[in-house]
Amino acid sequence: MSISMSMSLSQSEMLTAPCKFRSFARATAPFRLRAFSTAITDKPSVCTADELHYVSLSNSDWKLALWRYNPSPLAPRRNHPLLLLSGVGTNAIGYDLSPESSFARYMSGQGFETWTLEVRGAGLSLPASNSKDVGQVANAMSEKMEAASESATATNGAVASNKELNNISSAVSEPQISAPNGVEIENAAIKGDLTRLATAWDESKLVARLSETFMFLSERVSGFLSESQSRVMFAKFLDQISKLLVDSPLYEQFNEIRGKLSTLYETKQNSGFTSQITDLSQKLVKIIEEGQLSVSPPLFDLQARFTSTIEDFQKQLDLMVKYDWDFDHYLEEDVPAAIEYIMKQSMPKDGKLLAIGHSMGGILLYSMLSRFGSEGKEPNLAAVVTLASSLDYTSSKSTLKLLLPLADPAQALNVPVVPLGAMLAAAYPLSSRPPYVFSWLNTLISAEDMMDPDLLKRLVLNNFCTIPAKLVLQLTTAFREHGLCNRNGTFFYKDHLHKSNTPILAIAGDQDLICPPEAVEETMKLIPEHLVTYKVFGEPGGPHYAHYDLVGGRLAVEQVYPSIIEFLTCHDK
């Protein structure tokens, strides 16, 4: 049995008289697809849906993956398609772990044409590629995902190495300048073979590489960072180079060039900017070369460390450009594009669909309703179900508060991405086997005995991906006064949620440490009572529901799913 509470009507009342709360406003404008869209004929093996579709964005190179599950011909005919939205840093696999444990399959088995969206950066969604090779790229991505999972378990259950654990630690700490795998740059002088290094030294190539880095930071990256953030990154790069020359007679020469570079960067003169950058890069390389040949004192491996510093910094800049999106990109671009595509495919009579969001997926749905409400517009959502979601975590003891250090923009620049998938995969052996050093990770995902161990393993190793720090940065605003806000801090999503007319079923788990029931309740208070039903699943003596159990727990199919079906059926008129 579940602990349930309704902010308005009881469950039985909801089934007999709720439809009066619905609005039947029809969409009058035709849906316009955003550039390219297609269904993949050669579906990748990792995609266990009936079909895999792609839809592109009008102002981005990303192609979003949509997993489609056809409705069962034996089930009642439904009037609306169903959209599933996943949590932060997760893909569609979480909704479809196995044939025996599949939220998506259950919904399609109940007659709903079910679509699961993978937002940019997640699962099989693809960066720039033309329509002709999407299938090929998708299959390559699938193979990469499967290989990563196999690699994580290739040690046949061996405990994670010290190197793996160090990578986890450095990924969430404040490194100097990090490569994508989180390995910190060596700052200490390393003695080596000067003759061997001298033969490998290519001055012209290094000058070109250094100039390219300065130009990249000045021009391309400036479109992804604010002016102040860009200055911080520029200063950090020069700081790293200066550490190579500390206590050297060349340090003063370097500072002179640094001053000129800083002045040039601040003014960003159009006339001769490139040639001046190249000239100063040439002088900087000369200093490094002189230091390499210096014998008083010798600066061993200076050239190699200088080259490494440039390469690692450029990798960091590349990551910033590659992972340049936040929550508002999902809200304003990804989800609307997916909805347009689904509408074109399904053609519901009233121009609406049903939607279920888990964790961040539910936050996206709340935010969408808030946006429509603030603009006085009717959303194209017939009804919404949120699982473990809230717009305001300030009053709760959510473990997501561990992310608050990333709320410092400078820290987000130090760690441009959070390799969530790699971190969890590396930590998994220590969470599932003696001495259970990271066993607490499991309780964040699932309560004791609520998930089959093999399914939990598949979830941890296959469901998570790398996320941008700027996405985390925006989500941390949910822990501040007024709750989650847009990227500019000018729109607070909870302030307009009460203006929505869309029925909502909000579900919480009694032992959810990520989104505790009290966090869900904070959002429920904002919604008109006649539109919201709130349910908490779990019993004092067990069973209990943690964050993912509402989707994939062993008892969810018996306790949670039927409540969702009843609610959706009621609003699928």
Side-chain angles (χ1 to χ4, degrees):
M1 297 293 293
S2 65
I3 302 173
S4 63
M5 179 181 72
S6 173
M7 304 280 296
S8 159
L9 301 177
S10 66
Q11 179 75 9
S12 60
E13 290 173 320
M14 194 69 179
L15 290 175
T16 57
C19 299
K20 63 183 179 181
F21 304 136
R22 295 177 62 241
S23 173
F24 288 92
R26 292 177 178 267
T28 56
F31 289 98
R32 179 180 58 83
L33 291 185
R34 305 184 179 211
F36 160 77
S37 57
T38 187
I40 301 300
T41 54
D42 183 18
K43 184 167 61 70
S45 59
V46 76
C47 177
T48 49
D50 297 318
E51 300 170 9
L52 177 64
H53 294 244
Y54 278 95
V55 58
S56 63
L57 305 174
S58 58
N59 54 351
S60 170
D61 292 331
W62 279 98
K63 291 179 172 58
L64 310 180
L66 278 166
W67 295 32
R68 182 181 189 177
Y69 300 81
N70 296 322
S72 170
L74 303 178
R77 181 178 177 84
R78 306 294 184 173
N79 297 306
H80 298 93
L82 173 64
L83 171 63
L84 306 182
L85 298 177
S86 306
V88 62
T90 61
N91 55 41
I93 292 175
Y95 278 122
D96 192 9
L97 282 177
S98 74
E100 298 76 26
S101 179
S102 174
F103 186 94
R105 284 286 175 198
Y106 183 94
M107 295 299 155
S108 66
Q110 294 294 316
F112 292 102
E113 178 188 335
T114 304
W115 299 77
T116 304
L117 170 64
E118 291 184 318
V119 294
R120 67 185 75 188
L124 294 174
S125 287
L126 305 173
S129 59
N130 61 59
S131 58
K132 295 181 180 179
D133 60 12
V134 164
Q136 181 179 353
V137 177
N139 276 280
M141 181 72 73
S142 174
E143 293 174 2
K144 183 178 179 180
M145 292 170 64
E146 292 174 331
S149 175
E150 293 173 2
S151 174
T153 57
T155 56
N156 196 28
V159 174
S161 66
N162 288 335
K163 180 179 179 181
E164 289 173 320
L165 296 180
N166 287 338
N167 287 347
I168 297 173
S169 175
S170 60
V172 296
S173 63
E174 183 173 353
Q176 295 300 314
I177 293 180
S178 357
N181 62 359
V183 179
E184 191 170 308
I185 297 170
E186 181 64 64
N187 288 318
I190 305 172
K191 295 184 178 181
D193 186 342
L194 294 181
T195 303
R196 175 179 58 82
L197 287 173
T199 59
W201 178 258
D202 190 326
E203 180 182 317
S204 61
K205 288 183 178 180
L206 191 59
V207 170
R209 187 68 181 273
L210 184 58
S211 300
E212 177 187 344
T213 300
F214 284 131
M215 293 299 295
F216 186 85
L217 182 58
S218 174
E219 296 177 354
R220 188 178 179 192
V221 178
S222 62
F224 297 85
L225 300 174
S226 67
E227 195 66 32
S228 60
Q229 289 174 329
S230 188
R231 284 195 294 268
V232 169
M233 291 302 297
F234 187 81
K236 282 181 177 293
F237 181 44
L238 294 178
D239 284 343
Q240 289 299 312
I241 298 176
S242 71
K243 290 178 181 179
L244 302 177
L245 298 167
V246 171
D247 299 327
S248 165
L250 303 172
Y251 190 72
E252 290 186 7
Q253 295 181 43
F254 165 77
N255 277 337
E256 181 180 347
I257 294 177
R258 175 175 185 162
K260 293 180 180 179
L261 282 168
S262 297
T263 300
L264 185 61
Y265 184 79
E266 289 287 343
T267 57
K268 286 188 172 64
Q269 301 170 3
N270 294 324
S271 177
F273 180 78
T274 301
S275 61
Q276 292 179 71
I277 285 289
T278 302
D279 180 60
L280 291 172
S281 297
Q282 176 80 43
K283 292 180 179 179
L284 186 53
V285 169
K286 287 290 186 182
I287 290 178
I288 298 298
E289 185 176 27
E290 184 179 344
Q292 177 70 50
L293 300 175
S294 172
V295 293
S296 180
L299 298 177
F300 294 108
D301 285 354
L302 180 60
Q303 293 171 342
R305 289 184 286 125
F306 180 57
T307 302
S308 177
T309 297
I310 296 174
E311 291 176 349
D312 287 332
F313 185 77
Q314 197 152 32
K315 288 176 182 177
Q316 189 177 20
L317 296 182
D318 289 340
L319 283 175
M320 287 182 177
V321 173
K322 181 179 180 182
Y323 291 88
D324 179 56
W325 65 85
D326 53 24
F327 178 84
D328 285 350
H329 284 97
Y330 294 154
L331 178 65
E332 298 167 0
E333 300 177 18
D334 295 21
V335 176
I339 290 177
E340 285 187 5
Y341 183 82
I342 294 171
M343 294 298 189
K344 180 69 174 180
Q345 295 291 317
S346 302
M347 300 181 66
K349 292 181 179 179
D350 62 354
K352 293 186 177 184
L353 52 70
L354 301 164
I356 300 175
H358 175 248
S359 195
M360 187 190 73
I363 298 175
L364 281 167
L365 293 174
Y366 283 141
S367 301
M368 179 176 292
L369 294 177
S370 178
R371 279 282 181 89
F372 275 101
S374 70
E375 298 169 1
K377 297 180 180 178
E378 185 72 21
N380 43 16
L381 299 171
V384 161
V385 179
T386 63
L387 307 171
S389 306
S390 179
L391 292 174
D392 188 347
Y393 291 79
T394 54
S395 63
S396 74
K397 296 180 180 179
S398 169
T399 53
L400 288 181
K401 290 183 178 180
L402 296 173
L403 297 175
L404 288 179
L406 277 177
D408 176 10
Q411 176 72 351
L413 294 178
N414 286 326
V415 188
V417 298
V418 179
L420 186 60
M423 291 163 59
L424 290 177
Y428 178 75
L430 291 179
S431 68
S432 57
R433 300 179 180 88
Y436 302 104
V437 177
F438 288 163
S439 60
W440 55 271
L441 285 175
N442 291 347
T443 61
L444 293 180
I445 299 172
S446 178
E448 186 176 0
D449 296 328
M450 277 299 282
M451 280 195 72
D452 177 271
D454 289 337
L455 293 181
L456 178 60
K457 178 180 178 180
R458 174 167 165 74
L459 181 72
V460 172
L461 298 183
N462 294 273
N463 189 50
F464 298 92
C465 57
T466 297
I467 55 178
K470 65 191 303 182
L471 168 61
V472 178
L473 180 64
Q474 185 175 355
L475 289 175
T476 57
T477 62
F479 292 91
R480 300 176 187 168
E481 187 178 3
H482 303 302
L484 183 73
C485 64
N486 66 350
R487 69 171 66 97
N488 299 322
T490 57
F491 187 94
F492 293 89
Y493 293 107
K494 60 183 288 186
D495 289 352
H496 303 276
L497 191 57
H498 68 281
K499 300 175 183 177
S500 171
N501 293 316
T502 302
I504 298 172
L505 170 62
I507 295 178
D510 66 323
Q511 286 194 356
D512 191 337
L513 302 178
I514 294 177
C515 185
E518 58 266 28
V520 180
E521 292 167 15
E522 282 299 311
T523 299
M524 290 306 92
K525 296 175 184 178
L526 307 171
I527 304 170
E529 290 187 358
H530 68 282
L531 291 176
V532 64
T533 299
Y534 172 44
K535 298 179 73 68
V536 179
F537 283 89
E539 295 281 354
H544 299 289
Y545 283 80
H547 195 62
Y548 184 74
D549 294 328
L550 297 171
V551 175
R554 61 183 176 85
L555 296 180
V557 68
E558 302 172 12
Q559 298 183 350
V560 182
Y561 296 5
S563 295
I564 296 174
I565 293 298
E566 289 177 345
F567 176 81
L568 294 180
T569 300
C570 178
H571 296 285
D572 185 46
K573 305 299 183 181

